[in-house]
Structures are given as C-alpha cells and as structure tokens.
Amino acid sequence: LPDFPRRVERVSYADGCKVYMEGGWLIGESRRNFASMAIMKQSFFGPVCLDFYAKVLKPCTHDINCMWSGSWDEASNTRALAYVAGIGLHEFYVNGQRMGDRVLTPVPSDYRKTIYYNTYSLPLTPSNGRGDQKVCLGIVLGNGRLFPMQQHKPYKIHTFGFPKCRINVIVEYEDGTTQRLQTDDKGWKVTADGPIRANNEYDGEEYDARKEMRGWAEVGYDDSKWMKAERTDIPQAWLRAQMTSGMKVLQQINPQSFKGGVVDIGQNIAGWLKVRVHGQKGDTIRIVYAEKLNADGTLYRENFRNAQSTDTYVCNGDEGAGRWWTPTFVYHGFKYAEVTGLRNAQRDDFVAEVVA
C-alpha cells in the first residue's frame, strides 16, 4: 500500500451524539517493523453510545459483538488485509475463525492521544471457478481501559464511552483493482447479549456459557434479533498502526499443588488460570486470585483493596467431560487461586498461562 500524508482531517459533531466525518481520516505511518498502513475513512461503529453513557458509574459492562456478511470475488483475488481499530480490546473473526494469536489486543494507549489499529492477513479459499466467496466478518469488543476499571476517582480516571470499532478490509485482485469492505451503518449488526457479561482489569471477567451464540461469526447466522450498528462518538486522537507485536501466551505452568480448593502455581505471574470446566447447567465456577497466603492457608487479599480480581464461569450443561476455558479481556497478577463450584476438581484441571 502507498504511504499516506501525516494529517487528520477535522471531525465535526452535529448534535453532540453522533459523529459525521468531513472527508474522513487519512492516516500515515512509517514502514519500519513491517507494519501495514491503510486509509481509515469511516467513523467508529458500535451500539449507540451517547455522551451521557460515559457518566454512568458502572465498573463492569458486557462485551459487544459486531458482525457483517457479504462476499468478494474469490476467482481472482490475490490477498485481503483487514485493518481493525477495536477499542478498548478486541478479537477479530473471519468466517468463524479467530485471526491471530495475540491476546488483549490492541496494546494500551492514552485514548486522548493515540488509537492503535491492528493488521490481519485474511485467509483466501482456492477458487476452483466457483465465483463469489461468501464472507462473514465478526469482532468481539471488551472494555480494556476505554471504559475504566473503577470510577472512585473520576477526576483522575478518564472515561471514553463503551467499546467501539472501525474496520477496513481491502481485497486486491490480479487486475490491480481493489474492493473495500468497511464498518458502516448499513450491513453491520451488533449485540451486547453475548456470553461475556462483565470484564475489567480490576474485578475480572464473568462468562455465562448459557449465552453462547454458536456460529455467530459464520455466514448464515440468524442475526435478526441483533441491533443495527450506529455511528458513535470517538476520542480525539491520532489513529496509528500498532508498531509493537502485542501480547501473547508465552508459557504454560502446571500447578505445584491443589489443596483445600487453592491452586499453588509456585511463582508469581501475570496472566490467568486456565480451567477445565464442567458441571450442570447453571453451576457457577469462581476463580479468586491472590499473590500470597495467610498463615492459616487462606488467600491474603488485603493488598487488592476493593478489586475483586475474580473470574466467573457459568456452565451451560454442554461441557461434557470438560472443556478448557480462559478469560478473554482481563489478566491477573497472582501465585495462588482459589477455585469454588468445580465438581470433583483435580490438579490436572488447571494450567496457569503467562501473558506478556
């Protein structure tokens, strides 16, 4: 892709609620570290996020799922690149397949100054003369630090509204032409009724498997009950390619012991506890994190102050003998974790994952 001028055109607000672009943003970045560039010409999209939403003192909010279905000509395309600004955090999907192996994407930034977008190379199906390829683009959005963890000090902790996204997919063809698929208020649908019921770095993540939407990011999914995505407010910041490679799971650690419901990892890590969950529908499994123990073997939690640092999983009854689960949009600093609600739990049901 060509280099673009380093400038951002002005954004005007017609009524204080929705955003209208005057020609769009033209964003440029250097090519060092093999970062890809793109023209990001449309506004951010998500659920309706009016200004007053940002003033609600609510520490946790649901995840947001966005989805679009359409097609491109698979007979002559050579590559397809997606440029995704999904903030606070996101996971991006194409035809049900999650793109990339990074976690907690994008890396943190001050949304008053910088918004990062990530670049994904999309899988192309061999044509075999079949013509148009049906494609479904999906994204799950989490709070990250866009909607802050807690608001006990509103004069220090900035709020930027609910999660939102801005996506360009550029499909290149052999004859030199391109096709653009992008977020708009026409084909994109959105819902906040997914399985991640709450997420923030201080308090943890709540996941209700009974809310899972199987096939939601695949062609043919019935999204008739989803809301239409609308333009939202956006932070006044530069939109830039993320130059660093981002975080990922670097190591898995088997627990040293599991006694009295407490998992001992053997060392302090940043990450989460991966759990083989199972149970009857409605069973609630809680994972409470700590860095040290009291003399009686219980978790020492005084240093967490009012942070819950607890992950919660509610079973849907279809886990069978067990399936592995980790939170998506949070991480924890811990050496110990107390697990309750998991029937007949054994040490082999737990693996600690180091994230960096």
Side-chain angles (χ1 to χ4, degrees), residues 4 23 89 100 113 130 148 162 181 188 213 228 230 245 304 326 328 341 346-347:
F4 299 113
L89 300 172
K113 300 177 181 179
R130 290 196 300 268
F162 287 166
L181 312 174
W188 283 82
M213 305 172 290
K228 177 183 176 182
E230 295 194 20
S245 59
F304 282 59
T326 64
T328 302
Q346 306 292 325
R347 186 174 69 172

Side-chain angles (χ1 to χ4, degrees), residues 45-48 64-67 141 188-193 223 225-230:
F45 283 78
V48 180
I64 296 171
N65 296 63
C66 301
M67 184 260 282
L141 300 170
W188 283 82
K189 303 291 286 292
V190 62
T191 184
D193 198 30
D223 62 359
K225 295 183 179 180
W226 287 29
M227 299 180 295
K228 177 183 176 182
E230 295 194 20

Side-chain angles (χ1 to χ4, degrees), residues 209-271:
R210 298 170 298 181
K211 290 281 190 177
E212 289 179 344
M213 305 172 290
R214 293 177 180 169
W216 72 271
E218 299 176 1
V219 174
Y221 178 79
D222 181 9
D223 62 359
S224 58
K225 295 183 179 180
W226 287 29
M227 299 180 295
K228 177 183 176 182
E230 295 194 20
R231 292 176 181 259
T232 72
D233 59 321
I234 61 176
Q236 294 294 295
W238 282 89
L239 185 62
R240 300 180 183 276
Q242 178 180 305
M243 306 304 285
T244 183
S245 59
M247 291 179 280
K248 64 187 301 185
V249 175
L250 294 182
Q251 182 182 3
Q252 292 188 326
I253 301 175
N254 293 319
Q256 288 189 352
S257 66
F258 177 56
K259 299 178 182 179
V262 176
V263 180
D264 181 358
I265 303 304
Q267 66 184 78
N268 210 327
I269 69 169

Side-chain angles (χ1 to χ4, degrees), residues 15-30:
D15 54 8
C17 296
K18 295 185 179 181
V19 179
Y20 298 89
M21 307 299 291
E22 295 179 353
W25 283 17
L26 300 180
I27 304 301
E29 289 285 354
S30 69

Side-chain angles (χ1 to χ4, degrees), residues 6 19 22 31 37 58 79-80 101 140 148 164-165 172 212 215 264 324 326 341 346:
R6 294 191 177 186
V19 179
E22 295 179 353
R31 288 185 178 273
M37 280 65 67
K58 187 177 181 182
R79 71 169 181 170
D101 62 352
V140 186
K164 58 207 74 176
C165 68
E172 300 180 358
E212 289 179 344
D264 181 358
W324 290 100
T326 64
Q346 306 292 325

Side-chain angles (χ1 to χ4, degrees), residues 1 14 53 75 85 104 126-127 132 164 197 212-213 217 247 254 330 344 356:
L1 295 175
Y53 277 32
L104 303 174
S127 63
D132 285 352
K164 58 207 74 176
R197 309 308 297 160
E212 289 179 344
M213 305 172 290
M247 291 179 280
N254 293 319
V330 302
N344 304 315

